[in-house]
Amino acid sequence: MVSPLSQLQRVRFVDCLISHLFTLMGKSDSKAATATYGSVIIHDEGGLPGLTQFDSFLEEWRRIPDDDGLLQYINSKQPPTPAGSDLYFARGGDYFQQPPSHIAAFSYDAIVGLGLSACRALEDQMDGDAIFSGADHHTAFIKSQFKGASGDVIFSSDSFSRNATSTYHVMSNILPVGNIDESGMQSYKASPKVYYDTETQKWARIRLGDDSDFVYSDGTKQSPDEIPEHDHDMNHLQSGVRVACLTLSAIAMIVSVSFFLFSFSQREKIVIRAAQPEFLYMLCAGCLLMAATIIPASMDDRVASTESCNIACMSKVWLFACGFCICFSALFSKLYRINKVFKHSKGFKRVKVSMKDVIVPFCILLSANFIVLATWTAYAPLQWDRTILAYDDYDRPMSSIGTCSSDKTIPFSSTLIVINGLALVLALWQAYQARNITTEFSESKHIAMAMACIFQSFFFGIPVMIIVNGQPTPELFTVSAIIFVIVIAMLFLIFIPKMLIMRKGKEEIGVSISQPVSKWSSHPGKEEIGISISQPVSRWSSHPVSAKEEEKHEEATH
């Protein structure tokens, strides 16, 4: 809760001429008159009757007419009356019997402060010189603290202005005075009703007479109803959905790490060797990054600071883009390697596809993603921003939404979609080319099934994301579900078949390539040819394999 003192420090006070002597005139039947009647202004006041310092000042103020020399001196400092004008600035004795303006008290304290600070500046001269500079005088003035007519004079060290707690502020009630004149004009006067007590930090009534109550715009002294409670719907993420999405993320990450450890621990098995362990590692790493995307996506300003939300905004883009890139680069490279091997096998040619040959597409794709993401982060990063959707009758926000936004979101995100969409298309093309290769250890069928699941996730998920756009909770759940399906589909369809084969203890691999027979074939009734390759059993088989057979198997694998 904001303290009354803090509220005072934020108030932009009206012109210093507004005081308890303030008057104005206006048409009595105008809208301005209706709005003015019973309103309140908050302004600083030079002092209040009943306060010790101000009462002493007021007593001396009223004694000025008794000193003819002093009164004459004061009038000598007034501006002369302009020729032909009825303005008269000389002050008579009656003037000083009225309460002084707050300007008088503030001016008095300012002059006293200048004198006291001059004495202090002189005392601070180390060399005993009787001369001090304007800077010395100013420094001493800022450090001054004394009890004046207008309150405890204290200056703020950071603003070089008087502290808001060192003077009195009052609320004055604006009411009409006198009768409406012949032209329909009405005079209004601001009369102080309460003041802010700096010692108790509470508003207190000024007892200037019997009429100390506020008169409100309806002409009564009955205070109006309080403004209704402010209900601001910030559309934060629902806790249950947040927990559910983080659970999906944790499951997907655990599965990714588990399959990574499985691939590493079984890397000598023929099934894993045939599947190329390096690409399995890449696949698990990419899925881990995509699953981790849900963590920053589930953050908002309910559970994190604005700075943390700013970091999360770009983090989720980095994690998903890099994870997606790594996964589909691995899938593309694996399919490319399979297609190249079996393409040459039809001509009974021996071919060796090295890691260098298939790592190039991965490096190109990852570099393209990195350049776009780095440029986006440096030039126009996503920032957490809360947008007000609706206001109530008192101009208070009723509903708002927090989102990650940037002026350059569309061009950068579109570039990333094109780059990674190209990776998906290339992977689908390689899977299509490998559609006729059937083998227990080949992954072309399972990779194609995984990519079909991923395609369906995007096909149905993206329209749903468009529908729930602007609704943080449904949007988070949709994104999390899409990522979870992508990760689990890829991992399960790639690794589960391998685990089943290892469980059965298969001893050989049957490979066939189904192709239509060419026109020059000597078997016109034959629609396809079969190529069978017998591999040595792996180490987990009950039949031992010689070192020489292992070498032959390694050549056949490549």
Side-chain angles (χ1 to χ4, degrees):
M1 181 177 179
V2 180
S3 66
L5 180 58
S6 300
Q7 293 176 345
L8 275 179
Q9 292 173 335
R10 296 179 183 180
V11 171
R12 184 176 180 180
F13 293 108
V14 295
D15 188 86
C16 64
L17 292 179
I18 297 179
S19 70
H20 62 277
L21 297 178
F22 167 75
T23 58
L24 57 85
M25 296 182 66
K27 289 286 186 179
S28 60
D29 57 350
S30 65
K31 293 182 179 180
T34 303
T36 300
Y37 184 93
S39 62
V40 171
I41 59 173
I42 302 176
H43 57 93
D44 51 354
E45 188 68 25
L48 297 171
L51 301 175
T52 304
Q53 292 86 356
F54 184 77
D55 285 346
S56 299
F57 172 77
L58 188 58
E59 183 179 354
E60 294 299 324
W61 173 268
R62 290 171 176 169
R63 288 179 180 177
I64 291 177
D66 298 337
D67 189 339
D68 294 336
L70 178 58
L71 183 59
Q72 185 178 1
Y73 174 79
I74 292 175
N75 287 327
S76 67
K77 302 301 179 182
Q78 300 297 323
T81 301
S85 174
D86 56 356
L87 294 176
Y88 188 68
F89 296 100
R91 304 305 181 189
D94 294 340
Y95 174 81
F96 293 97
Q97 299 306 312
Q98 301 174 3
S101 166
H102 66 303
I103 300 177
F106 284 133
S107 300
Y108 175 81
D109 286 344
I111 295 171
V112 171
L114 288 173
L116 294 176
S117 58
C119 295
R120 173 172 294 183
L122 186 61
E123 293 174 355
D124 291 341
Q125 298 302 310
M126 301 299 296
D127 53 3
D129 194 354
I131 299 177
F132 54 86
S133 65
D136 296 333
H137 195 185
H138 180 264
T139 301
F141 185 80
I142 295 300
K143 295 180 180 180
S144 298
Q145 293 187 17
F146 60 93
K147 292 185 179 295
S150 58
D152 295 333
V153 179
I154 303 174
F155 294 93
S156 177
S157 59
D158 56 348
S159 64
F160 302 108
S161 181
R162 187 163 174 174
N163 194 314
T165 62
S166 69
T167 188
Y168 294 96
H169 299 88
V170 299
M171 289 186 184
S172 294
N173 194 190
I174 302 179
L175 297 171
V177 291
N179 298 322
I180 302 174
D181 62 15
E182 297 178 355
S183 61
M185 300 295 289
Q186 175 71 62
S187 296
Y188 294 84
K189 180 179 179 181
S191 302
K193 299 293 185 178
V194 297
Y195 74 99
Y196 185 73
D197 191 334
T198 58
E199 294 183 359
T200 62
Q201 295 192 1
K202 294 181 179 179
W203 291 97
R205 289 190 177 275
I206 302 173
R207 297 298 179 183
L208 296 180
D210 296 335
D211 188 16
S212 59
D213 294 327
F214 277 100
V215 176
Y216 298 94
S217 57
D218 59 357
T220 68
K221 296 182 180 181
Q222 181 67 35
S223 61
D225 295 334
E226 295 289 338
I227 296 178
E229 289 288 336
H230 182 206
D231 185 14
H232 182 187
D233 183 8
M234 301 186 73
N235 289 292
H236 284 133
L237 295 172
Q238 296 180 10
S239 300
V241 175
R242 191 199 310 274
V243 172
C245 293
L246 291 176
T247 302
L248 293 178
S249 175
I251 293 173
M253 293 174 70
I254 292 173
V255 172
S256 301
V257 174
S258 300
F259 282 136
F260 180 90
L261 296 176
F262 166 79
S263 302
F264 183 78
S265 63
Q266 304 295 324
R267 64 188 180 280
E268 296 298 330
K269 304 294 185 181
I270 190 172
V271 178
I272 303 301
R273 292 170 63 188
Q276 308 152 35
E278 299 86 357
F279 296 120
L280 296 180
Y281 301 156
M282 290 172 57
L283 185 67
C284 292
C287 289
L288 181 66
L289 292 178
M290 284 197 292
T293 304
I294 300 175
I295 298 176
S298 63
M299 297 176 61
D300 60 11
D301 51 6
R302 182 181 185 179
V303 297
S305 64
T306 302
E307 292 75 13
S308 299
C309 291
N310 289 337
I311 297 174
C313 285
M314 284 307 303
S315 297
K316 61 185 180 183
V317 180
W318 275 89
L319 290 171
F320 185 81
C322 292
F324 189 89
C325 168
I326 293 173
C327 284
F328 281 89
S329 295
L331 295 178
F332 170 79
S333 299
K334 285 169 65 63
L335 289 170
Y336 172 76
R337 194 172 189 177
I338 293 171
N339 285 328
K340 191 168 184 179
V341 169
F342 283 95
K343 180 180 179 181
H344 287 79
S345 69
K346 290 188 294 185
F348 299 97
K349 297 179 182 179
R350 184 175 182 274
V351 62
K352 183 176 181 180
V353 184
S354 64
M355 192 69 175
K356 179 180 178 181
D357 296 328
V358 294
I359 204 67
V360 172
F362 164 73
C363 293
I364 294 175
L365 194 59
L366 185 62
S367 299
N369 275 273
F370 181 83
I371 291 173
V372 174
L373 289 169
T375 305
W376 190 357
T377 304
Y379 181 62
L382 291 171
Q383 297 289 323
W384 182 260
D385 180 54
R386 181 159 290 280
T387 304
I388 306 299
L389 302 178
Y391 293 88
D392 64 6
D393 295 336
Y394 301 96
D395 203 29
R396 298 176 300 179
M398 292 178 57
S399 177
S400 65
I401 183 174
T403 56
C404 295
S405 61
S406 170
D407 295 337
K408 305 297 181 181
T409 299
I410 294 179
F412 282 111
S413 59
S414 300
T415 305
L416 287 175
I417 292 174
V418 170
I419 293 174
N420 292 286
L422 178 62
L424 179 59
V425 171
L426 293 176
L428 289 170
W429 173 248
Q430 291 295 328
Y432 175 78
Q433 288 187 323
R435 68 191 182 281
N436 294 318
I437 300 175
T438 60
T439 171
E440 290 182 90
F441 286 4
S442 175
E443 299 149 299
S444 57
K445 176 182 176 181
H446 303 125
I447 292 175
M449 292 174 61
M451 288 190 293
C453 292
I454 294 167
F455 177 78
Q456 289 180 1
S457 299
F458 282 124
F459 183 79
F460 293 105
I462 291 178
V464 175
M465 289 181 61
I466 295 175
I467 293 173
V468 301
N469 184 38
Q471 304 176 53
T473 299
E475 189 174 359
L476 171 64
F477 185 79
T478 303
V479 171
S480 301
I482 292 174
I483 294 175
F484 182 79
V485 170
I486 292 175
V487 171
I488 296 300
M490 279 197 291
L491 292 176
F492 276 39
L493 288 171
I494 297 298
F495 283 94
I496 295 299
K498 294 176 176 53
M499 299 176 73
L500 294 176
I501 292 173
M502 294 177 65
R503 183 182 179 90
K504 293 177 182 179
K506 297 288 185 178
E507 295 187 4
E508 64 178 28
I509 313 169
V511 181
S512 67
I513 306 176
S514 299
Q515 295 287 356
V517 180
S518 62
K519 295 179 181 179
W520 44 264
S521 173
S522 59
H523 303 282
K526 201 87 168 176
E527 294 188 0
E528 61 178 35
I529 59 175
I531 298 177
S532 178
I533 301 177
S534 296
Q535 299 287 8
V537 295
S538 65
R539 295 177 183 175
W540 42 263
S541 173
S542 59
H543 302 283
V545 180
S546 65
K548 187 173 182 179
E549 288 175 327
E550 288 282 3
E551 293 178 1
K552 291 181 179 180
H553 158 68
E554 184 69 19
E555 292 180 0
T557 304
H558 290 290

